Amino acid sequence: MKKYLTLILAISTLLGQSPLFAQTTGLKDAFKDKFLMGVAVNRYQINQSNNKETDLIISQFNALTAENDMKWMNIHPQENTFNFEQADKLVALADANDMFVVGHTLVWHSQLAPWVFKTANGDTIDNLELTHRIEKHISTIVGKYKGKIDAWDVVNEALAEDGSYRESTFYKISGETFIENAFRFAHEADPEAELYYNDYNLIDADKRDGAIRIINNLKAKNIKIDGIGVQAHWSLEEPSIEDIETAIEMYAETGVKVMFTELDISVLPSPWNSPTADVSVSFENNPDMDPYPNGLPDSVEDQLANRYAEIFKLFNKHSDKIGRVTFWGLHDGLSWKNNFPIRGRTDYTLLFDRELKPKKAFHAVIQTVND
Ligand code: XIL
């Protein structure tokens, strides 16, 4: 019996090295000694509406983030209404498959519920009331999932591009204290949960230094922060591998783990000079900005595969500093980049195509483990 097993193992190892069968090695297995491999799941996937998608999620990934369902407007739509249905299902899916769960996100200026800053008469609330509301929001949600949700994006996108604080309503009412309060409340509600600060453009020097300031401020006050969440909505050219490496090293020096929390790589022209993820910005579509509506030319497919490979080679090199890499969506057809920052385009950001098939980029990423 043992002899046959060895033979079968040998054959499957051989097959695993052929590009035709390489998809039998899941991302989570290939990277098991490096870092967690996560995916953001949408409402249908949390509901397990499509078996093929569910199977792919389970076979490839070992960490889950809800793409939208746990944002304030969905999970806490009215002051006294919490909507836990989707989060419960997410946790059940993760539990059944031994996956790590990230709660995304507790305090963010976007996808927020309209009641949050208003009194019953429609006046803007003061710092004390906002602090109470943030406390109730966080202690209720984090408390409910204590021991079930492993980690939280506690504060999302509190920085402006120059590294100063974003002039959000949270900041206007409470100043920078809303950040430390949020981390304190989350830690009180679940002392074991990992707590992260999450943002986009965190490789750019100014914003990177702003994030390091936040981490150091929290640490100086003995407030727990475990990780920096680098969203990683990137393009074929930017940011450079050198800049990503510098940022990884600098974040790690502060003593936190680095998480790449929302990785996707757009192949489409950007209306900006640098990739961003400010969800409040949008532009008009036109054919120049949507060059590949019927399929990606081989040359660009190769460019994307090479770009992904370079990035994962760097991640592997620094795997001691990196806790997790999460893709922002399961396959190209579902990527938010098809509708951001321009609606209705056809982008090719992820490792699986619109038919759920692994792309060249998938094989290139898996291959980096053997390099
Ligand atoms: C995006 C979702 O993918 C979209 O479906 C939604 O319409 C807008 O938000 N930064 C974040 C994520 O932290 O929550 C955002 O997700 C993408 C940018």
Side-chain angles (χ1 to χ4, degrees):
M1 189 62 195
K2 208 165 157 219
K3 217 161 67 190
Y4 288 118
L5 263 182
T6 318
L7 191 68
I8 290 167
L9 270 179
I11 292 172
S12 44
T13 310
L14 267 177
L15 290 177
Q17 282 162 1
S18 126
L20 196 62
F21 290 95
Q23 65 263 37
T24 54
T25 309
L27 293 165
K28 64 174 180 186
D29 300 317
F31 289 87
K32 69 177 186 309
D33 298 327
K34 310 262 185 214
F35 31 72
L36 293 171
M37 283 295 234
V39 63
V41 283
N42 65 23
R43 185 159 302 172
Y44 301 98
Q45 293 165 338
I46 292 174
N47 291 340
Q48 302 188 45
S49 312
N50 175 325
N51 289 341
K52 281 193 185 147
E53 288 186 2
T54 309
D55 290 348
L56 192 61
I57 290 164
I58 292 168
S59 62
Q60 296 291 333
F61 300 100
N62 49 19
L64 294 179
T65 308
E67 184 176 2
N68 288 300
D69 282 344
M70 293 179 66
K71 292 171 182 173
W72 198 314
M73 65 185 251
N74 293 321
I75 202 164
H76 192 179
Q78 267 132 32
E79 188 161 7
N80 294 308
T81 309
F82 287 86
N83 182 359
F84 290 126
E85 204 184 323
Q86 291 305 111
D88 284 349
K89 288 185 191 168
L90 178 78
V91 166
L93 174 63
D95 254 10
N97 297 287
D98 203 14
M99 296 163 116
F100 187 91
V101 192
V102 183
H104 176 79
T105 171
L106 293 168
V107 178
W108 186 26
H109 63 275
S110 193
Q111 290 176 279
L112 193 62
W115 63 268
V116 173
F117 300 122
K118 297 287 171 204
T119 65
N121 322 329
D123 296 334
T124 302
I125 57 171
D126 62 12
N127 174 34
L128 192 64
E129 179 60 19
L130 180 57
T131 307
H132 284 315
R133 290 186 184 185
I134 291 177
E135 179 169 21
K136 181 177 167 196
H137 178 73
I138 293 181
S139 62
T140 307
I141 299 169
V142 177
K144 176 171 163 69
Y145 293 106
K146 183 176 176 189
K148 294 183 184 149
I149 289 189
D150 303 278
W152 291 93
D153 290 337
V154 179
V155 174
N156 198 24
E157 303 184 354
L159 289 169
E161 300 319 292
D162 66 0
S164 65
Y165 290 107
R166 176 190 285 269
E167 289 285 329
S168 69
T169 312
F170 288 109
Y171 184 75
K172 283 187 189 141
I173 296 176
S174 296
E176 59 186 271
T177 53
F178 85 88
I179 302 174
E180 51 190 78
N181 285 334
F183 277 84
R184 272 206 192 97
F185 299 146
H187 182 54
E188 279 162 20
D190 185 354
E192 300 293 315
E194 289 190 8
L195 308 180
Y196 312 139
Y197 174 73
N198 196 57
D199 210 328
Y200 62 89
N201 281 357
L202 284 189
I203 304 302
D204 293 1
D206 289 344
K207 215 162 167 180
R208 176 198 69 206
D209 293 348
I212 290 175
R213 194 182 66 239
I214 290 179
I215 298 166
N216 288 337
N217 281 347
L218 292 173
K219 286 190 174 278
K221 293 183 176 169
N222 265 323
I223 300 170
K224 180 173 136 97
I225 173 166
D226 303 284
I228 180 80
V230 176
Q231 288 186 8
H233 299 294
W234 291 340
S235 74
L236 288 175
E237 294 84 25
E238 287 179 67
S240 72
I241 295 296
E242 294 72 32
D243 288 350
I244 302 172
E245 181 158 40
T246 307
I248 293 174
E249 285 166 345
M250 289 180 70
Y251 287 130
E253 266 170 38
T254 69
V256 299
K257 277 265 175 197
V258 185
M259 314 287 157
F260 291 92
T261 55
E262 304 184 14
L263 178 58
D264 50 29
I265 297 176
S266 177
V267 302
L268 299 182
S270 163
W272 295 291
N273 291 333
S274 79
T276 184
D278 188 335
V279 289
S280 64
V281 188
S282 64
F283 296 86
E284 287 301 307
N285 196 354
N286 75 57
D288 286 347
M289 298 306 275
D290 188 20
Y292 317 120
N294 305 314
L296 197 60
D298 283 348
S299 60
V300 189
E301 185 87 53
D302 287 343
Q303 252 181 294
L304 180 70
N306 291 337
R307 173 79 167 140
Y308 260 116
E310 272 187 339
I311 289 170
F312 274 86
K313 275 181 205 158
L314 181 74
F315 289 173
N316 293 338
K317 177 175 170 196
H318 292 288
S319 62
D320 58 325
K321 306 175 188 69
I322 298 173
R324 171 174 51 95
V325 177
T326 288
F327 290 85
W328 204 245
L330 181 64
H331 67 78
D332 287 348
L334 297 174
S335 170
W336 77 303
K337 297 297 293 184
N338 294 308
N339 291 303
F340 180 84
I342 299 176
R343 291 199 70 77
R345 296 197 294 177
T346 307
D347 209 338
Y348 299 83
T349 49
L350 298 164
L351 300 189
F352 297 94
D353 69 14
R354 286 168 167 76
E355 267 107 53
L356 305 187
K357 295 209 181 69
K359 296 159 58 176
K360 261 190 196 161
F362 170 93
H363 300 297
V365 163
I366 296 265
Q367 185 56 39
T368 62
V369 182
N370 307 320
D371 286 350

